């Protein structure tokens, strides 16, 4: 007997038929004798509809009212799934965030979970009851509904798994696991059996849209073993109820990964834009004078490259922003030119950031050199490079995106099954 | 300065434009210096959609889960109206049933309000804040959402008005008041300026679909002065903000109606079916043996006519049910034939019940005779008659519905303005 939290996203609960399919997944685990809590998102498209109504009512709206409106979507799905489970003979009840309660901070619209009182749910596990929990929401200190921001149902699931001390958190989604790279670009991409929290964090934040970054952070902090798996497979197919290795990708502590690959995956993010400030005055505080105003304006700065200046007085500063933010970023910089003290601003868009990720890099040298050589052999020009302990990110022209991903995927042997 | 509760139904909040129109009605009252609470229904069609989803998930569903699903519709409208009011510069916040709280009994799906804690809303009136309240819902003793049954937002509004000791409860709807009869049948029907609670109760329960019966009962018990008025008129038209006599119909204590008409209105209900049991054994308990099983089967029995038997042993029993319930009712009776002890069962459908209503009947004689003669003059056959202190109901063939309504409307002078 294990304690499981299952999470189903919007496409998995898109209509009554899909909800019935979800119920079969839940019933399978219940029939196997497990204690089960289910976290659900709103039906596909519903959240967008509710958000759009708020926007139409007023472009600038009270986040507390937005939360009351938008959180209703998950409440509906939770009730419908509980009804469906009951029809199948499964003892189940729905819970909203305020009923459990899932306590959040007061940041309406982007709240963070602070505490989950799981005692009553655990007590009902003892009576064989399944808890169906509305994701994406909690209750703020002002006694009003708070939402966790888009994609927040993953976070709800992981936080609930931590609070309930669950053995596993299964994130059911429309893909069947985490791949070595995007299979739409590289058909030879393979599903990983396991990936460490740290690597998944890099994969998630670099554009592999399987799991929300915050949920992976939370899973890492609380060491919640998290499976990414498909809700679209037959719930009763062989192996689906496997307790140790269900089909999918396990995100876990690196200690659990016995044979660590040097490079685990290749991620990418398209539609990046690059801004270069030439001959910036090289003095303490110059970076703050540039990135402070950008942060205030809500511009999401990603890669930052600053070279050591030749003469100690002037340097070049390059950074990337999402292409959509480029006009705003340029305006912010032009407006603050007098404080920033640079000569020339240059910008370019239509760029792609390709990243090589692997926890094994920490103990292997030459990983970066391999990437640079492979790209050079294909005639792909490198615009900028940043590195961390477990990843190398390379900025290139967008037209080479797919070629670069395939080249890197191949050069590290990711298209071959691990030995 | 007055304290007002305004209620807007589904067609009045059908989309963002309609919600903006509602906000203008609210703002008009706020600008006049009044303290305002607003009760809203779900956007038109939303409740049906949610109910249908519950039905698809399982024809037999847990009323507690149904409530969680269906109550979300009002929550959405309340948030959207609060956002819209804020955009117009009105201080407003939304409230769900559990936040206020509106406490109900445990009858999920058809709960009754037991208590409303209005103190916080009143405190915020002092700060100039408008309370936007999700109608149709409260919180049951099990800490779960309970809905009040269809049309329950009217009841929410009246109960809130009673709890807040409001000066007036305005029910905004898609008609501009209560008419002497259905204007679609009789173009000469006139809007009443005032109608007593008792009369309105008869009008509502007899098919004039302006206000839910329960909300009128509640208004009568708590003496809540209730205006029925249109949300579709220009919110800023002359007279709309009139405190004493806004355009519409005031439902009030009969003491407030100085010149009481003898007959106030003509109501009707189509699609009735009639069941007659011939030569029923005339003994104590026979009525219970017939209507007990029907009630258990959920058949809504309306008119009941039993004649005094000629010889004291056998009598005829006639009653009406909605035409849709006829097959079920006949089956129940056939199944229980041995206990009920009757000779023959006869049934007929396609009937209409026409009712003459007026509190003045209590002190005037001859009202019924006038109706019977008028119908006879038009060749309309009367199948059954029931009467109460303030109404006469007559069952006729459906083909004469409109003719009967017009005839009665005219014979009591309702098509002429009162002197």
């Amino acid at each position: 007997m294990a304690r499981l939290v299952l999470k189903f996203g919007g496409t998995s609960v898109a209509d009554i038929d899909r909800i019935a399919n979800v119920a079969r997944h839940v019933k399978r685990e219940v029939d196997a004798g497990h204690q089960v809590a289910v976290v659900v998102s709103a039906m596909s498209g519903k959240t967008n509809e509710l958000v759009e109504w708020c926007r139409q009512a007023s472009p600038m709206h009270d986040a507390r009212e937005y939360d009351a409106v938008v959180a209703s979507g998950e409440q509906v799905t939770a009730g419908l799934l509980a009804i469906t489970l009951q029809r199948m003979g499964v003892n189940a009840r729905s819970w909203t965030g305020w009923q459990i309660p899932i306590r959040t901070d007061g940041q309406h619209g982007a709240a963070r979970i602070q505490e989950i009182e799981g005692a009553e749910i655990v007590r009902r596990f003892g009576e064989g009851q399944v808890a169906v929990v509305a994701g994406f929401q909690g209750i703020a200190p002002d006694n009003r509904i708070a939402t966790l921001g888009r994609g927040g149902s993953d976070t709800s699931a992981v936080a609930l798994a931590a609070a309930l001390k669950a053995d596993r958190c299964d994130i059911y989604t429309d893909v069947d696991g985490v791949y070595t790279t995007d299979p739409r670009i590289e058909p030879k991409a393979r599903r990983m059996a396991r990936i460490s929290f740290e690597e998944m964090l890099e994969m998630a934040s670099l554009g592999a849209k399987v799991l929300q970054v915050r949920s992976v952070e939370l899973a890492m902090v609380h060491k919640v073993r998290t499976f990414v798996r498909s809700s679209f497979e037959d719930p009763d197919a062989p192996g689906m109820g496997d307790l140790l290795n269900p089909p999918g990708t396990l995100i876990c502590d690196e200690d659990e990964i016995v044979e660590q690959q040097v490079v685990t995956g290749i991620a990418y993010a398209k539609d990046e834009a690059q801004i270069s400030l030439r001959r910036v005055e090289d003095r303490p505080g110059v970076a703050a004078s540039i990135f402070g105003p950008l942060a205030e304006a809500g511009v999401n700065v990603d890669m930052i490259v600053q070279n050591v200046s030749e003469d100690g007085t002037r340097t070049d500063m390059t950074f990337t922003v999402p292409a959509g933010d480029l006009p705003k970023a340029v305006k912010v910089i032009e407006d603050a030119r007098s404080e920033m003290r640079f000569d020339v601003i240059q910008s370019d868009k239509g760029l792609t950031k390709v990243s090589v990720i692997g926890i094994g890099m920490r103990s292997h040298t030459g990983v970066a050199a391999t990437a640079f050589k492979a790209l050079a052999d294909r005639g792909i020009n490198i615009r900028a490079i940043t590195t961390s302990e477990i990843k190398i990110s390379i900025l290139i022209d967008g037209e080479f995106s797919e070629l670069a991903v395939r080249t890197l995927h191949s050069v590290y042997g990711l298209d071959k099954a691990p030995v």
Side-chain angles (χ1 to χ4, degrees), chain A:
Chain A
M1 193 273 290
R3 184 172 293 170
L4 307 178
V5 172
L6 318 183
K7 183 262 170 179
F8 295 89
T11 54
S12 303
V13 294
D15 56 37
I16 299 296
D17 283 346
R18 301 283 320 140
I19 289 173
N21 192 60
V22 163
R24 290 175 60 211
H25 282 287
V26 175
K27 185 176 182 343
R28 181 191 65 231
E29 306 293 0
V30 171
D31 288 348
H34 304 316
Q35 297 180 338
V36 181
V38 192
V39 175
V40 288
S41 299
M43 294 160 85
S44 184
K46 280 290 149 188
T47 302
N48 286 341
E49 181 184 63
L50 295 166
V51 169
E52 175 60 18
W53 282 341
C54 288
R55 200 197 56 72
Q56 286 176 12
S58 176
M60 295 283 290
H61 44 251
D62 186 340
R64 296 164 299 188
E65 301 301 349
Y66 168 95
D67 283 353
V69 171
V70 173
S72 67
E74 282 72 16
Q75 179 176 324
V76 168
T77 317
L80 293 175
L81 179 55
I83 288 172
T84 308
L85 284 167
Q86 290 176 0
R87 171 168 61 78
M88 294 182 181
V90 176
N91 179 2
R93 80 152 270 190
S94 71
W95 297 85
T96 58
W98 58 267
Q99 283 172 333
I100 294 179
I102 296 174
R103 296 192 195 285
T104 71
D105 62 18
Q107 285 291 323
H108 282 277
R112 301 185 78 95
I113 294 173
Q114 296 194 316
E115 193 193 3
I116 297 180
E117 291 183 18
E120 180 63 16
I121 287 176
V122 169
R123 192 185 69 71
R124 287 160 181 257
F125 280 160
E127 298 170 356
Q129 189 175 80
V130 171
V132 183
V133 178
F136 177 57
Q137 64 186 272
I139 184 163
D142 57 6
N143 202 36
R144 299 182 72 173
I145 296 168
T147 67
L148 309 181
R150 298 307 291 267
S153 289
D154 288 348
T155 307
S156 299
V158 172
L160 187 65
L164 299 177
K165 301 193 196 315
D167 297 291
R168 212 173 76 201
C169 179
D170 285 5
I171 308 286
Y172 284 82
T173 177
D174 48 6
V175 297
D176 65 355
V178 183
Y179 278 70
T180 49
T181 195
D182 186 341
R184 289 170 303 181
I185 289 183
E186 174 50 274
K188 293 183 201 157
R190 287 177 308 96
R191 187 173 79 194
M192 298 179 227
R194 299 187 171 199
I195 182 174
S196 71
F197 292 123
E198 290 83 353
E199 288 165 324
M200 188 64 211
L201 214 45
E202 297 292 355
M203 294 288 273
S205 58
L206 291 172
K209 306 236 166 65
V210 180
L211 265 185
Q212 290 295 314
V213 174
R214 276 176 54 200
S215 62
V216 182
E217 288 173 352
L218 203 61
M220 182 163 71
V221 169
H222 295 284
K223 294 199 187 297
V224 175
R225 301 174 80 241
T226 304
F227 268 94
V228 173
R229 53 190 300 190
S230 169
S231 71
F232 286 79
E233 286 174 46
D234 177 2
D236 301 313
M240 289 296 281
D242 193 321
L243 186 58
L244 296 179
N245 280 305
T249 299
L250 173 65
I251 308 165
C252 58
D253 201 86
E254 59 179 292
D255 299 345
E256 282 202 61
I257 303 172
V258 183
E259 275 302 320
Q260 184 63 58
Q261 304 292 108
V262 177
V263 168
T264 317
I266 311 296
Y268 67 95
K270 289 187 176 184
D271 291 324
E272 299 280 305
Q274 165 193 326
I275 296 175
S276 292
L277 304 181
R278 302 296 175 193
R279 289 181 293 286
V280 177
E281 202 173 295
D282 193 5
R283 57 177 168 84
V286 67
S289 78
I290 292 168
F291 298 111
L294 287 169
E296 276 166 37
V299 174
N300 192 11
V301 174
D302 182 11
M303 298 172 81
I304 300 177
V305 183
Q306 183 191 339
N307 279 347
V308 176
S309 61
E310 206 177 312
D311 60 359
T313 62
R314 295 265 162 175
T315 184
D316 290 347
M317 180 87 78
T318 294
F319 55 91
T320 63
V321 299
D325 282 357
L326 182 60
K328 185 161 64 170
V330 170
K331 184 170 186 311
V332 166
I333 291 167
E334 294 282 12
D335 288 352
R337 187 168 200 138
S338 58
E339 291 113 81
M340 290 185 188
R341 303 204 211 162
F342 58 87
D343 254 21
V344 180
I345 174 168
Q346 295 172 325
S347 67
D348 218 342
K349 55 188 177 175
L351 309 182
T352 290
K353 180 177 65 169
V354 185
S355 300
V356 178
I357 294 154
I359 226 163
M361 279 189 212
R362 288 194 298 224
S363 51
H364 281 73
T365 54
V367 176
T370 303
F372 304 153
K373 179 168 188 307
L375 294 177
D377 287 349
R378 298 296 186 125
I380 301 171
N381 185 43
I382 295 176
R383 287 172 161 261
I385 301 166
T386 58
T387 61
S388 78
E389 244 195 331
I390 66 166
K391 77 154 189 228
I392 304 154
S393 291
I394 300 168
L395 192 67
I396 60 172
D397 287 346
E399 56 187 330
F400 296 109
S401 304
E402 292 81 7
L403 180 62
V405 167
R406 283 187 215 112
T407 300
L408 294 172
H409 193 262
S410 164
V411 77
Y412 294 111
L414 294 175
D415 41 7
K416 298 182 196 79
V419 278

